[in-house]
Amino acid sequence: MKFVISSLPSAIATIMLIGISTHTAANSNTEIMSKDKNLISKDEISPIATTQIIDINYTSDANATNNSTVGNSKKLTADTEAASSVLVQPSSTLTLDTLVDPITHKSIANSYPLEVASFLSLEQAQEILLQVSPKLAANQAAIAASEYQTNALKTLDNPFVFAQLSASTYNVQEDIDLSTLKNGVINGVNNAGANTGAIVPPIPPLPDLPNFGEMVGDRIPDSYDFKRSGSTAGAGVGFAWPVYTAGRTTALTGASDARTQEAMADSILDKNELYNTLIERYFKAQLAIIAAYLREDAYDTLQQTDHMAKRLYEEGFISRVDRLEAQSALADAKSEAVNANNDARLAMIALQRLLRTDYRIKPTTPLFVSSRPLPDVSYFQNLALSHHPGLQKVAAKRAQAQKLHELSDTGHKPTVMLYGYGQVEKDPSWIAGISASWKLWGGLDKTASLASSNAKIRQADLSEIEVSDNLLLLVEKNWNDVNNAQSRYQALQSNVDLATEVLRLRRLGLQEGVNTTIEVVQAQTQALKARTEQAQAANAYVQGLAALMQSSGTPLAFNAYLNAADIRLPTLYSEQ
């Protein structure tokens, strides 16, 4: 499995301000545009190439790029497709190359560039995340490795045919001692017939006969120098076919396939976690941008208050203390505005790192809250029990234990094999037959192995109960968090309305000499606090909703709630 990078055209984006939320008062577009120049003025650059990691079997169908797992990942969940985006269009010419990762500056082989726009909606960011995440690419490699291993095991029962060629040369030389053999022959010849035990008639005296033993012994040397050399060559074809393995191959293949399912579940877990991390960083950046805007707005207001206090002091309507209070409040507001701008930059850098670009990512999807109630908690709990990859991982673990149990159960069953071998010669010789073998004793203890696999099956069953209980509790907690954030946002609206009206009256009162500068500063502080708290409540709603969707095993369902939301906060960036 190779992973590559695709060259995709970037979307054209410009800065503009979208409308304010249903319950939030608007400032002029001119004010926000001027604050934008202070916030991100250094990052107005053209999109450049970053890395996209996908399967090398890339097709021009945009839907093909939405699948983040390989093989049988569809068995686990249908929630694996990212939202469609104009950014996902493959390059007309695919040229693999070695590129440099913009974050780590490490080389990535078999890749091609991906252009990422600086302005991104959440759905576009989700699509890009699938393509540039090294973690997801590593998971795809793990799944591919497991699938290939399973495919390799499927051929264990196939006939094994082999060819054998041999060529050798030899040289044998040895000095063989024949003295013992020689003495034995001499003694044997001389004593022949001496102890036959047979009764024979007496033999008349014969003339002296020669010593036959010595005569034979003289023909046998005391040693023999043996020397031979030469070369041989041969060829043959053989086969072996395990026609019966008692289900061992099926068990091994099933265990490997279950490991693949576990790798897929791990991949989905990681992908869901990355989706949640993206939402967290994306909307934290939006919240930080809103906070920076509010601080800039407060600073602008206090500048006007300070100017008014200066005039009133010069005309003798307020004391020097009131004038100094206005100056002190203005200095504090300027410091807070600078800090808020720095926090916004940091939040945008965190988003940039996740999407692996070397320029700032500007989020265009606003924070939101839905005034409509969520479905009952039981709906999300049922989703979790049906779709959460944690339960799918437990099921894969149980399947592995079951297959290992089946493998252990074949311990004393026979293995039957057909075999044959033939030499390729002028006068060939060959052999063929069938064999059956049983394990009688030794090796792994079958009883202990079966007990171990049974214990693992029980462990998986009990783990499923524990994981289910934890998921139900987590869904309940996240569901409550979303409802609490929703009610808090709505409750804070009265604070925003009150603080806005009090600030307006205090500023008018300062002009008429009824209120002091410190009262105006306090009113400004309360207005800033109320609007910031409401934005924080909206972010808490968004983060709680993302956590609820993740714990339900359907993280992309978050997009449906986003699109249906009826309350949207202002956003600094909007894509044309």
Side-chain angles (χ1 to χ4, degrees):
M1 182 65 65
K2 296 181 179 179
F3 299 97
V4 300
I5 312 289
S6 70
S7 177
L8 308 179
S10 62
I12 304 301
T14 58
I15 301 176
M16 61 174 292
L17 175 69
I18 68 168
I20 63 173
S21 68
T22 306
H23 305 294
T24 307
N27 286 292
S28 68
N29 290 353
T30 304
E31 292 177 322
I32 295 184
M33 291 296 288
S34 64
K35 294 172 179 56
D36 177 33
K37 294 178 182 177
N38 295 328
L39 182 64
I40 317 291
S41 60
K42 297 181 180 179
D43 301 301
E44 299 299 330
I45 61 175
S46 300
I48 63 173
T50 184
T51 55
Q52 177 195 11
I53 308 174
I54 59 173
D55 196 297
I56 193 169
N57 296 321
Y58 195 97
T59 67
S60 60
D61 186 0
N63 293 329
T65 65
N66 293 335
N67 297 325
S68 63
T69 57
V70 298
N72 298 323
S73 59
K74 293 182 180 178
K75 298 178 182 177
L76 292 175
T77 179
D79 186 27
T80 57
E81 294 186 356
S84 300
S85 170
V86 295
L87 295 178
V88 185
Q89 295 296 331
S91 174
S92 58
T93 303
L94 178 63
T95 303
L96 297 181
D97 200 353
T98 298
L99 300 182
V100 177
D101 179 66
I103 305 301
T104 62
H105 303 294
K106 293 185 177 180
S107 297
I108 304 177
N110 298 323
S111 58
Y112 58 90
L114 167 69
E115 293 182 359
V116 178
S118 180
F119 295 82
L120 289 179
S121 68
L122 176 64
E123 292 185 357
Q124 290 171 338
Q126 288 170 337
E127 180 66 26
I128 291 170
L129 180 65
L130 292 182
Q131 302 171 50
V132 303
S133 171
K135 188 176 186 65
L136 294 182
N139 288 340
Q140 289 177 352
I143 293 171
S146 183
E147 286 184 332
Y148 288 137
Q149 185 178 36
T150 301
N151 293 335
L153 290 173
K154 289 179 180 179
T155 61
L156 278 177
D157 285 346
N158 291 358
F160 175 65
V161 180
F162 62 93
Q164 178 178 329
L165 298 175
S166 64
S168 60
T169 182
Y170 63 91
N171 182 27
V172 181
Q173 184 173 357
E174 183 67 29
D175 187 8
I176 303 174
D177 185 6
L178 300 179
S179 59
T180 302
L181 175 63
K182 178 178 179 180
N183 293 333
V185 171
I186 292 173
N187 294 334
V189 172
N190 290 336
N191 296 330
N195 297 316
T196 61
I199 300 176
V200 296
I203 300 174
L206 297 173
D208 292 337
L209 297 175
N211 190 335
F212 291 103
E214 292 182 358
M215 294 175 63
V216 174
D218 290 339
R219 295 180 177 273
I220 300 176
D222 292 332
S223 64
Y224 179 72
D225 187 11
F226 179 81
K227 184 176 181 180
R228 292 289 187 275
S229 63
S231 61
T232 62
V237 178
F239 77 94
W241 185 4
V243 293
Y244 176 73
T245 59
R248 295 183 186 91
T249 301
T250 302
L252 287 172
T253 304
S256 181
D257 187 63
R259 283 192 293 270
T260 302
Q261 298 299 312
E262 182 183 0
M264 290 179 178
D266 284 333
S267 178
I268 296 174
L269 280 169
D270 289 339
K271 182 168 63 175
N272 291 356
E273 184 178 351
L274 278 173
Y275 277 140
N276 198 60
T277 301
L278 174 63
I279 290 174
E280 178 184 358
R281 295 190 184 184
Y282 190 95
F283 288 106
K284 275 189 176 180
Q286 284 287 34
L287 178 62
I289 292 171
I290 290 176
Y293 163 72
L294 292 176
R295 289 291 180 182
E296 288 282 352
D297 184 61
Y299 177 65
D300 288 346
T301 301
L302 287 176
Q303 277 185 316
Q304 299 173 16
T305 302
D306 179 72
H307 179 70
M308 187 182 303
K310 179 181 178 181
R311 290 178 55 190
L312 292 174
Y313 173 71
E314 291 173 349
E315 295 174 3
F317 288 102
I318 62 174
S319 67
R320 177 173 173 76
V321 172
D322 290 336
R323 174 73 186 100
L324 292 176
E325 286 176 345
Q327 288 180 324
S328 176
L330 180 63
D332 290 341
K334 182 177 181 180
S335 175
E336 293 295 336
V338 171
N339 292 340
N341 274 294
N342 291 336
D343 291 342
R345 286 193 182 94
L346 181 60
M348 295 172 74
I349 288 173
L351 179 60
Q352 163 192 339
R353 292 288 186 266
L354 187 63
L355 298 178
R356 313 201 69 76
T357 67
D358 55 1
Y359 50 87
R360 212 66 51 81
I361 294 298
K362 302 169 185 177
T364 62
T365 300
L367 282 165
F368 66 93
V369 176
S370 177
S371 61
R372 290 183 287 273
L374 287 172
D376 189 73
V377 65
S378 60
Y379 167 77
F380 297 103
Q381 289 175 332
N382 291 333
L383 281 178
L385 295 179
S386 301
H387 295 88
H388 198 278
L391 291 174
Q392 296 164 359
K393 181 175 181 178
V394 172
K397 287 283 190 183
R398 192 189 191 285
Q400 291 178 54
Q402 183 63 44
K403 292 302 179 181
L404 291 177
H405 179 80
E406 295 174 5
L407 180 63
S408 300
D409 199 33
T410 64
H412 294 299
K413 294 181 180 179
T415 298
V416 180
M417 180 178 295
L418 297 177
Y419 63 90
Y421 182 78
Q423 293 181 332
V424 182
E425 297 178 351
K426 181 179 179 181
D427 297 319
S429 60
W430 57 272
I431 183 174
I434 183 172
S435 68
S437 60
W438 289 260
K439 187 188 80 170
L440 300 179
W441 183 84
L444 293 177
D445 188 324
K446 175 185 175 183
T447 303
S449 181
L450 287 173
S452 174
S453 58
N454 280 327
K456 286 186 176 295
I457 292 175
R458 178 172 174 79
Q459 177 189 15
D461 290 338
L462 295 176
S463 296
E464 182 179 8
I465 296 174
E466 180 186 12
V467 172
S468 298
D469 288 343
N470 292 337
L471 279 177
L472 294 178
L473 182 60
L474 181 60
V475 169
E476 182 92 28
K477 183 258 184 189
N478 293 332
W479 186 81
N480 286 329
D481 288 345
V482 176
N483 286 326
N484 292 340
Q486 181 189 56
S487 61
R488 177 164 176 75
Y489 179 90
Q490 294 171 339
L492 287 172
Q493 182 58 45
S494 60
N495 291 356
V496 172
D497 295 339
L498 175 62
T500 302
E501 182 63 18
V502 168
L503 176 60
R504 186 183 71 84
L505 294 176
R506 292 290 184 269
R507 294 182 66 183
L508 289 176
L510 180 62
Q511 294 177 359
E512 300 295 332
V514 177
N515 297 114
T516 64
T517 55
I518 189 62
E519 290 175 328
V520 175
V521 170
Q522 290 174 347
Q524 176 66 50
T525 301
Q526 284 301 117
L528 175 64
K529 179 182 177 183
R531 296 177 69 184
T532 302
E533 286 180 346
Q534 193 178 44
Q536 290 172 342
N539 183 60
Y541 176 88
V542 168
Q543 304 299 340
L545 183 62
L548 177 60
M549 296 301 105
Q550 182 187 11
S551 60
S552 301
T554 55
L556 288 182
F558 176 90
N559 296 350
Y561 289 89
L562 186 159
N563 296 328
D566 55 344
I567 302 173
R568 295 174 182 267
L569 274 66
T571 181
L572 186 63
Y573 304 111
S574 180
E575 185 177 4
Q576 288 184 340

